[in-house]
DNA sequence: ATGGTTGGTCCCCAA
């Protein structure tokens, strides 16, 4: 099974890029974030034309929005809370398959958190910390098996998940307040599937700011997008790829897709 | 220390 996660930064604008991605990688499941499309305007026909007959989406006007596209039938899991009671379309989860072979997939878009890394001064940062804490608490109360969690978690937890650990310690996405909380969430029962393939001592990024003249040359990236799996799926991990080339596509997202292959 | 770019919506917000 091949799963791809991507913060697409407007599904309607980048439908041709999604088609390119699917042609290049033939994923079984695609998890999208920042679809920026209300459910009534979701481009369902165009997504079906790519081979995804089973689509779960949760969107709103202008911001946020997540979607899971699947070739095989899925059921939407409805037991998660409305995170921070905001109704802001940052999570959707599905079950793929049935019985002992079923796999659950959670797709998250964690709040970016604004610019000031202080929850008192900056309500967006407070929201981000509360969101991650709430997610940690919810997952810690579950007996999880055969579960994959992906998405734009908007936090780069490890030293080599950013271009300069020292220079980003006070930059939102890499502050200790965030990285500690993210790792606590991960430790409720997940393995970092990207770092299963790439040692923590190696740089690994999935996002490069639009605000750089030459993103590739300056290479000031961060690993904001993640794939976690429960330990029972770790032996099934077969491959991982960060599709860096997508950052140079026409009218690119600032995030690139991350692909994971599971023998499951 | 600062400003840099993009997308969606509606004259600015979020990233």
């Amino acid at each position: 099974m091949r799963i791809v996660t991507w913060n697409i930064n407007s599904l309607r604008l980048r439908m041709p890029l999604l088609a390119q991605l699917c042609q290049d990688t033939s994923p079984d499941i695609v998890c999208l974030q920042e679809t920026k499309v209300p459910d009534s305007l979701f481009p369902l026909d165009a997504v079906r034309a790519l081979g995804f007959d089973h689509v779960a989406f949760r969107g709103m006007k202008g911001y946020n929005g997540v979607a899971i596209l699947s070739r095989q039938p899925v059921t939407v899991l409805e037991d998660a809370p409305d995170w921070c009671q905001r109704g802001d379309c940052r999570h959707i989860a599905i079950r793929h398959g049935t019985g002992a072979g079923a796999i659950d997939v959670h797709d998250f878009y964690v709040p970016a958190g604004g610019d000031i890394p202080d929850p008192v001064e900056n309500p967006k940062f407070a929201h981000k910390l509360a969101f991650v804490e709430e997610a940690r608490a919810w997952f810690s109360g579950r007996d999880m098996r055969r579960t994959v969690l992906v998405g734009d978690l908007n936090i780069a937890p490890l030293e080599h998940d950013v271009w300069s650990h020292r220079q980003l310690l006070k930059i939102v996405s890499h502050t200790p307040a965030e990285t500690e909380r993210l790792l606590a969430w991960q430790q409720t029962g997940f393995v970092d599937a990207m770092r299963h393939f790439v040692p923590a001592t190696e740089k690994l990024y999935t996002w490069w700011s639009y605000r750089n003249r030459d993103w590739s040359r300056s290479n000031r990236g961060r690993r904001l997008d993640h794939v976690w799996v429960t330990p029972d799926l770790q032996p099934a991990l077969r491959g991982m790829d960060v599709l860096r080339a997508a950052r140079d596509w026409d009218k690119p997202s600032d995030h690139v897709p991350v692909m994971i292959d599971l023998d499951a």
Side-chain angles (χ1 to χ4, degrees):
Chain A
M1 154 141 33
R2 174 166 287 180
I3 302 174
V4 172
T5 178
W6 191 22
N7 178 322
I8 195 170
N9 188 16
S10 174
L11 173 58
R12 286 175 292 176
L13 185 71
R14 287 187 234 288
M15 200 65 218
L17 301 193
L18 178 64
Q20 182 70 53
L21 172 68
C22 293
Q23 191 177 357
D24 290 353
T25 63
S26 300
D28 298 292
I29 293 176
V30 179
C31 296
L32 300 172
Q33 305 88 36
E34 280 206 271
T35 54
K36 294 186 176 177
V37 58
D39 290 350
S40 59
L41 297 175
F42 191 91
L44 194 51
D45 291 340
V47 165
R48 283 193 177 130
L50 296 176
F52 302 103
D53 289 332
H54 309 277
V55 187
F57 47 88
R58 195 164 282 159
M60 60 194 285
K61 187 175 174 180
Y63 312 105
N64 308 334
V66 286
I68 300 181
L69 327 178
S70 173
R71 299 190 190 280
Q72 300 299 322
V74 298
T75 54
V76 178
L77 305 175
E78 304 279 9
D79 54 339
D82 174 22
W83 308 99
C84 300
Q85 296 180 299
R86 294 191 182 223
D88 58 1
C89 306
R90 295 181 177 276
H91 171 238
I92 193 163
I94 57 96
R95 176 160 296 165
H96 180 278
T98 54
I103 288 187
D104 289 355
V105 180
H106 290 267
D107 179 13
F108 273 97
Y109 174 54
V110 170
D115 289 329
I116 303 164
D118 178 343
V120 177
E121 252 186 276
N122 173 10
K124 290 185 202 168
F125 193 71
H127 176 213
K128 182 179 197 175
L129 298 183
F131 189 103
V132 174
E133 282 176 19
E134 189 177 342
R136 183 208 55 77
W138 189 73
F139 279 94
S140 72
R142 311 196 100 214
D143 176 28
M144 285 187 295
R145 289 159 48 203
R146 295 180 65 81
T147 299
V148 179
L149 186 156
V150 306
D152 176 6
L153 306 186
N154 264 317
I155 298 172
L158 307 180
E159 184 172 340
H160 294 290
D161 291 339
V162 293
W163 62 276
S164 169
H165 175 61
R166 191 179 60 80
Q167 292 182 75
L168 289 177
L169 273 171
K170 290 180 178 170
I171 302 297
V172 171
S173 73
H174 194 60
T175 66
E178 296 164 88
T179 60
E180 285 164 11
R181 281 169 177 81
L182 189 75
L183 292 173
W185 177 11
Q186 185 184 108
Q187 284 156 15
T188 61
F190 294 103
V191 172
D192 182 337
M194 296 177 72
R195 286 299 185 185
H196 173 84
F197 293 99
V198 180
T201 49
E202 253 178 60
K203 294 292 184 189
L204 187 59
Y205 313 139
T206 64
W207 173 89
W208 292 263
S209 173
Y210 284 126
R211 301 174 188 178
N212 255 315
R213 186 174 297 277
D214 185 337
W215 72 273
S216 182
R217 204 168 67 84
S218 60
N219 198 24
R220 296 186 166 189
R222 305 179 201 170
R223 185 169 70 115
L224 303 180
D225 303 275
H226 297 271
V227 180
W228 298 348
V229 301
T230 46
D232 57 341
L233 287 178
Q234 192 170 14
L237 289 169
R238 287 295 174 271
M240 188 280 296
D241 197 13
V242 176
L243 300 166
R244 191 181 163 108
R247 190 61 180 75
D248 270 332
W249 287 347
D250 187 39
K251 298 272 271 173
S253 169
D254 46 354
H255 296 251
V256 299
V258 179
M259 182 177 93
I260 201 93
D261 284 329
L262 279 168
D263 186 12

